[in-house]
Amino acid sequence: MRKPGSLTFLLALAACAGPRPAPPVGVAVVAPPAWRTALGPGAPIRTDWWNAFGDPVLTGYVVRALANSPDLGAAAARVEEARAAERLARAQQSPLVTAGVPLTDGQTVSPLGTPSTAIGAQPLVQASYDLDLFDRLKSASAAARAQALASEGARDTVRLAIASGVATGYITLRALDHRLLVARQTLAARAESLRIARRRAETGYTSNLELRQAEGEYHAAEQLVPQAQLLIARQENALSVLIGDPPGPITRGLALDRLTAPAIPDGLPADLLRRRPDLFQAEQTLVATDRSLDSARAALLPGISLTGSAGVVLSTALANPIGVFSLGGSILSPLFDGGRLRAQASAAAARRDAAAFAYRRSALTAFREVDDSLAGVLRAGEQATALAAQREALAGALRNASNRYRAGYSSYIDQLDAQRGLLTAELTLIQARTDRLNAYVSLYQALGGGWSSADITDVNR
C-alpha cells in the first residue's frame, strides 16, 4: 500500500556533488484551522464509498463501470509502461555482459617464411560496469520509481472520477424520474381543473375566460411530461455508455428521497486528503523531477567505467589454444560540450520548481474542493428543509383554494396561483435534494474515497 508524504511540501535534498539550487519560495501548504489531524500516514483508500448511499443498484453500476471503462484500461496500461521504464532504469545499475564468436579466415607466416592456412576463432565474453560514484544512475532509477508511482496516482484518479461520474449520473436520473412524476401529477390536477372549468362554462356559471385559462395551464403542464422524458432518455444513454453498455433503458433502484445521506462529523481530519490520488500523483511527480535533477547534476562530473573481456584464440599456427583476457577502466569527463549538460541541469531544476508549485496548487485545490463540498452538503440540506416546509404550506393552500373554488367562494385565479406556486416549490425541492446528494459525491471524491466510522471516532476523541 502506498504511503503518500506530508501535505507540507518538503523537498528531498539528496547528497550530490556541488551546491544544490535553492528550493522555490512559498510552496508550504498548511491545512485550514478548522481541520483537525487525526489519522496517521498511509491511511488506506476506501474503494467502496458508493455503498454509503444504500442502493445496491447504484453499487452494481459503479462496479460494472470500473470493470468496463476504456479510460481506466488505458490508465492501467500507462502504469505498466511506467513500471517497465522503472525496471529499465534499475537495470542500468547492473553489469552488462555480452558474448560473441567472431570467425576470421587468413594466412600466417612461420618463422622460416613458410605460409600456412589459418582459421582463427575468438570466443569472447565482455563485461562492463559503471561505478556510479556520484549516484547518477541511482538518481535516475529513483526518478523512474517515483514516476511509476505517479502513474498509479493518475490511474486511481481516473478510477475515482469514473465512480463519482456514475454516482452523479444515477442520482441525476432518479431526480429526473421524480420530476416526471411531479409533472404527471400536476397534469392530472390541471386536467381536473379543466374539467370543472369546462362544466362551469357550459352551464353559464362562469365566463369562457376561466375555461381558456384552465386550458392554457393544462397545456403548460402537458409539455413538462415529454420534456422530462427526453431528459431521462438522454441521461439513461449517458449512464449506459459510462457503465460500458449500449445506450438503452436503465434499471432503477431506490427513489431519490430514499437514498441515504451519510452522517458527517463536526471536523474531518486533514490527513484524509493524503488519500487523494491526484495529490499523490503531484507529490510523486515532484519527487521524480527532484531525482532527475540529481541525475542531471551528476552527469556534469566524471564517470568511471570498468570493462573486462576473456576468450580463447584458436589457430592452425598454434599447437595449443591461447587464453586471453583484459581488464581495465576508463574515466570520462566532459571537457567542452557547448554548455549542453549545464543547460540540461538548468532545465531539470526548472521542471523541479514547476512540479513544486504544481504540488502546492493541487493541495490548495484539494482544500477548496472539500470546503466547497461541505458547504454544499450543509446549505443544500438547509434549503431542502425550507423547501419541504414551503411545499407543505403551498399544498395546504392549494387544497383550500380548490375547495373555495368548487364552492364558488373564490375565483379560478386563486387556485391557479396556488397550483403554480406548488409546482415551482416541488421542482425546486427536487433540485435541492439532488444538489445535496451530489455534494456528498463531490465530498467523497474530494477526500479521495470518503471516511469511515473509525475516522470519525478518532476525530471525536
Side-chain angles (χ1 to χ4, degrees):
M1 181 180 300
R2 66 168 186 252
K3 294 186 177 182
S6 171
L7 290 177
T8 303
F9 168 69
L10 295 176
L11 279 176
L13 298 179
C16 186
R20 192 68 175 280
V25 180
V27 294
V29 178
V30 181
W35 289 68
R36 299 162 57 184
T37 301
L39 298 183
I45 296 176
R46 292 195 64 193
T47 58
D48 59 346
W49 55 266
W50 46 83
N51 292 330
F53 292 101
D55 192 339
V57 176
L58 170 60
T59 298
Y61 285 148
V62 173
V63 172
R64 288 170 57 186
L66 294 177
N68 301 330
S69 172
D71 294 334
L72 189 58
R78 288 190 290 270
V79 170
E80 292 302 322
E81 180 184 4
R83 288 173 178 171
E86 177 192 356
R87 292 193 296 270
L88 178 60
R90 286 202 308 265
Q92 300 296 326
Q93 303 178 68
S94 302
L96 177 64
V97 180
T98 60
V101 184
L103 297 177
T104 59
D105 293 336
Q107 287 186 337
T108 62
V109 180
S110 66
L112 300 178
T114 305
S116 61
T117 302
I119 300 178
Q122 295 182 348
L124 294 177
V125 176
Q126 296 179 334
S128 62
Y129 179 66
D130 193 327
L131 293 182
D132 196 24
L133 295 181
F134 303 103
D135 291 338
R136 175 178 57 85
L137 298 179
K138 183 179 180 181
S139 297
S141 178
R145 168 65 176 169
Q147 196 60 47
L149 293 176
S151 66
E152 293 181 4
R155 177 203 58 196
D156 293 341
T157 300
V158 173
R159 174 185 174 89
L160 188 58
I162 291 172
S164 301
V166 173
T168 300
Y170 182 80
I171 291 171
T172 302
L173 179 60
R174 299 307 285 138
L176 292 174
D177 291 337
H178 201 168
R179 289 177 65 93
L180 178 59
L181 177 62
V182 170
R184 286 173 172 168
Q185 292 175 346
T186 302
L187 182 61
R190 299 285 172 85
E192 177 63 17
S193 299
L194 177 58
R195 185 188 64 81
I196 296 175
R198 180 176 289 112
R199 186 185 62 186
R200 292 164 65 94
E202 290 174 352
T203 58
Y205 189 76
T206 60
S207 65
N208 287 332
L209 175 60
E210 289 187 0
L211 176 59
R212 299 310 178 198
Q213 289 176 330
E215 288 177 348
E217 291 302 316
Y218 173 81
H219 293 301
E222 187 179 30
Q223 59 89 23
L224 295 177
V225 174
Q227 181 185 33
Q229 290 174 333
L230 174 61
L231 295 176
I232 288 174
R234 289 177 175 174
Q235 187 64 27
E236 283 183 325
N237 292 338
L239 190 56
S240 297
V241 172
L242 190 57
I243 64 179
D245 293 341
I250 289 291
T251 303
R252 271 50 163 193
L254 298 179
L256 181 69
D257 54 357
R258 294 184 58 195
L259 293 175
T260 304
I264 301 178
D266 293 335
L268 288 174
D271 281 356
L272 281 174
L273 289 183
R274 299 166 71 176
R275 301 173 177 179
R276 282 180 61 118
D278 59 336
L279 193 57
F280 178 78
Q281 178 186 1
E283 177 185 316
Q284 293 304 315
T285 300
L286 173 58
V287 174
T289 55
D290 193 65
R291 300 305 289 170
S292 296
L293 176 59
D294 288 340
S295 180
R297 290 180 62 82
L300 297 171
L301 302 176
I304 300 178
S305 177
L306 298 179
T307 59
S309 62
V312 177
V313 177
L314 304 174
S315 175
T316 57
L318 301 174
N320 297 309
I322 298 177
V324 297
F325 70 93
S326 66
L327 178 65
S330 62
I331 300 178
L332 300 177
S333 179
L335 296 180
F336 179 76
D337 63 354
R340 293 179 180 85
L341 294 179
R342 291 191 178 277
Q344 292 175 1
S346 298
R351 287 192 295 269
R352 189 276 312 269
D353 292 348
F357 287 111
Y359 174 73
R360 180 176 186 270
R361 182 180 64 251
S362 298
L364 293 176
T365 299
F367 286 126
R368 179 186 63 80
E369 290 178 353
V370 172
D371 282 342
D372 288 348
S373 300
L374 287 173
V377 170
L378 177 62
R379 303 310 173 193
E382 294 175 349
Q383 183 185 14
T385 301
L387 285 169
Q390 181 188 19
R391 180 193 177 281
E392 293 300 322
L394 291 175
L398 177 58
R399 288 192 297 268
N400 294 335
S402 298
N403 293 334
R404 290 175 59 85
Y405 174 65
R406 290 189 181 95
Y409 292 114
S410 63
S411 64
Y412 175 71
I413 194 64
D414 294 336
Q415 180 182 359
L416 183 59
D417 289 340
Q419 286 179 339
R420 290 173 176 172
L422 179 60
L423 176 61
T424 301
E426 287 181 332
L427 295 180
T428 308
L429 176 59
I430 293 172
Q431 188 61 49
R433 288 174 175 173
T434 305
D435 292 342
R436 183 168 182 256
L437 291 173
N438 284 333
Y440 275 106
V441 175
S442 299
L443 181 59
Y444 280 120
Q445 185 176 10
L447 292 176
W451 60 92
S452 64
S453 58
D455 300 336
I456 300 176
T457 302
D458 292 337
V459 169
N460 292 330
R461 286 179 179 176

